[in-house]
Amino acid sequence: MTGKVRVAVVFGGRSTEHAVSCASAGLVLSAIDRDRYEVLPIGIATDGRWVLTSDDPGLLALSAGSSPSVEAVAVAGSEIIPRTGGSLVISAPGAVPRDLGEVDVVLPLLHGTYGEDGTIQGLLEMTGTRYAGAGVFASAAGMDKEYMKLIITARGLPTGRYVVVRDRDWSSGASGAAGAAGAAGLGERKRVLDEIAELGWPVFVKPARGGSSVGITRVVCAADLESAVEAARVHDPKVLVEAAVEGMEVECAVLEGLDGGPPEASVPGQVVVDPGSSFYDFQAKYLTEGTRMHIPAPIPAAAAAEVRRLACAAFEAISCEGLARVDFFYTPDGRVLFNEINTMPGMTPASGFPMMWAASGLPLPQLIDRIIQTALRKRPGPR
């Protein structure tokens, strides 16, 4: 027994953001205080298996020439089975399962579906395991951009215009549909397309329950709209189409308050997209050298204060816990518009969340420590 807090760093997962999750884990594994924490790196492979992995952060770097994966760093033959009481059991082919003992807390560095959306949070609550970050409801609400925006709007936060494209409205209008049902379906698809056209051009078409800018298309005319919707539907049958907002993209990092206090917001930062990229897509976000964060964001002090206020308001609107990153637009006429909240923000070297907290006086090792200590104060099970 080491006397240290035992932290399971869980990463990878079955979503399209698998590589980003691996990169987040790499940065956290490189910075976590090993004098205080015993770290158990656990990867979730793309087929859903939980496995022990290497503890070498260098194997999890994301670059234009390297896409990290759990499969590449897995310990051969290992498989993890979560058990009630926060315990983990490892099994290997032909071997007697070996009890790894209790884990004090799980740091679920999972992005996207099957991780950031409340699924792993529900599993951990069923097993009575403490975990960092948002609970089941906040995770699910934060992942589904339609319901995220409905809640945010109901709380009075300003946001841009959007149209939701549901599967039944789109699929029933597919070519080849027969009879009256097919005609009605075509009518529904036309209605949706007409609603989108009323947003004006350009628009951004994206999976409603996705992240890391995967599956997003910037559309500048009606002729390209249907193909963009189909591209987003590869990742999610529900699609969100957002009106473009003129202005700069501003992000703000949020942490749950200490000892039950209100949430705290970092210094806001501006996303400066690589000049060769048309918008902040996956390539621009993680793989191009020209994209950077300008911290603090070059906006008036009053606007920065409003960004921080709204970031905390969004955090509380969906009952978030632990940590989040909230994204905004700052318009030329001085307005601050909510864009989205990420309940498990990226923690890669290119991610704004750790950079904004570092600029606010909380470097990465202390940031990780605060996230873990906040989680340890939670009771196991439903919150």
Side-chain angles (χ1 to χ4, degrees):
M1 300 294 293
T2 65
K4 300 177 183 179
V5 174
R6 202 162 200 228
V7 181
V9 176
V10 179
F11 63 96
R14 295 171 57 195
S15 83
T16 54
E17 297 176 75
H18 181 98
V20 178
S21 174
C22 291
S24 289
L27 186 66
V28 169
L29 289 172
S30 72
I32 193 169
D33 186 350
R34 303 299 177 122
D35 291 332
R36 297 195 65 186
Y37 300 110
E38 179 186 355
V39 179
L40 185 67
I42 297 175
I44 300 179
T46 52
D47 62 3
R49 290 176 299 115
W50 292 42
V51 296
L52 287 175
T53 73
S54 165
D55 197 15
D56 182 359
L59 299 177
L60 296 170
L62 175 63
S63 67
S66 174
S67 183
S69 70
V70 165
E71 287 82 351
V73 296
V75 174
S78 67
E79 188 160 348
I80 301 293
I81 306 169
R83 296 284 173 87
T84 300
S87 64
L88 298 171
V89 172
I90 178 173
S91 63
V96 176
R98 177 165 59 90
D99 190 354
L100 291 175
E102 291 188 351
V103 170
D104 295 303
V105 65
V106 171
L107 189 54
L109 298 176
L110 297 163
H111 308 311
T113 50
Y114 308 110
E116 195 181 348
D117 58 355
T119 50
I120 193 170
Q121 290 78 12
L123 172 63
L124 294 172
E125 289 188 8
M126 286 196 302
T127 61
T129 306
R130 288 181 175 86
Y131 62 92
V136 173
F137 172 78
S139 298
M143 175 57 56
D144 190 312
K145 293 178 177 63
E146 177 190 9
Y147 290 99
M148 173 206 304
K149 289 178 184 289
L150 288 171
I151 294 171
I152 291 296
T153 302
R155 285 297 188 97
L157 277 70
T159 188
R161 296 179 301 142
Y162 65 94
V163 171
V164 179
V165 183
R166 292 180 172 80
D167 182 55
R168 65 175 180 271
D169 297 332
W170 194 259
S171 297
S172 60
S175 60
L186 288 171
E188 284 300 301
R189 179 179 285 206
K190 183 180 184 305
R191 176 188 61 78
V192 170
L193 292 172
D194 288 344
E195 286 184 15
I196 295 171
E198 290 177 5
L199 296 176
W201 308 102
V203 296
F204 289 90
V205 181
K206 59 181 66 175
R209 294 161 291 196
S212 292
S213 299
V214 175
I216 295 182
T217 306
R218 180 177 185 269
V219 179
V220 298
C221 65
D224 298 328
L225 183 57
E226 292 198 52
S227 62
V229 172
E230 293 293 353
R233 280 170 50 82
V234 170
H235 305 282
D236 187 347
K238 183 162 72 170
V239 173
L240 199 75
V241 182
E242 296 174 331
V245 177
E246 186 180 357
M248 70 172 67
E249 296 187 49
V250 176
E251 298 182 349
C252 189
V254 182
L255 288 173
E256 182 177 340
L258 295 171
D259 301 320
E264 299 175 20
S266 72
V267 172
Q270 177 198 6
V271 177
V272 181
V273 180
D274 181 271
S277 303
S278 60
F279 69 100
Y280 197 34
D281 61 4
F282 183 91
Q283 182 80 16
K285 188 172 289 188
Y286 297 109
L287 303 178
T288 57
E289 296 182 356
T291 297
R292 65 190 190 280
M293 290 288 294
H294 190 159
I295 306 172
I299 58 178
E306 180 69 351
V307 166
R308 298 177 76 177
R309 183 188 74 82
L310 291 175
C312 292
F315 189 90
E316 295 199 299
I318 66 167
S319 299
C320 200
E321 298 172 77
L323 69 160
R325 192 194 73 242
V326 189
D327 302 342
F328 299 93
F329 295 108
Y330 178 67
T331 67
D333 59 358
R335 292 180 299 144
V336 176
L337 296 180
F338 170 88
N339 182 26
E340 64 181 50
I341 183 170
N342 293 268
T343 57
M344 184 51 71
M347 298 280 277
T348 75
S351 296
F353 182 84
M355 287 192 282
M356 286 184 286
W357 276 119
S360 304
L362 194 62
L364 187 56
Q366 288 89 327
L367 175 61
I368 296 168
D369 179 69
R370 177 162 168 176
I371 291 169
I372 293 172
Q373 291 300 318
T374 298
L376 287 170
R377 289 194 290 270
K378 308 284 184 181
R379 69 177 189 180
R383 298 174 175 179

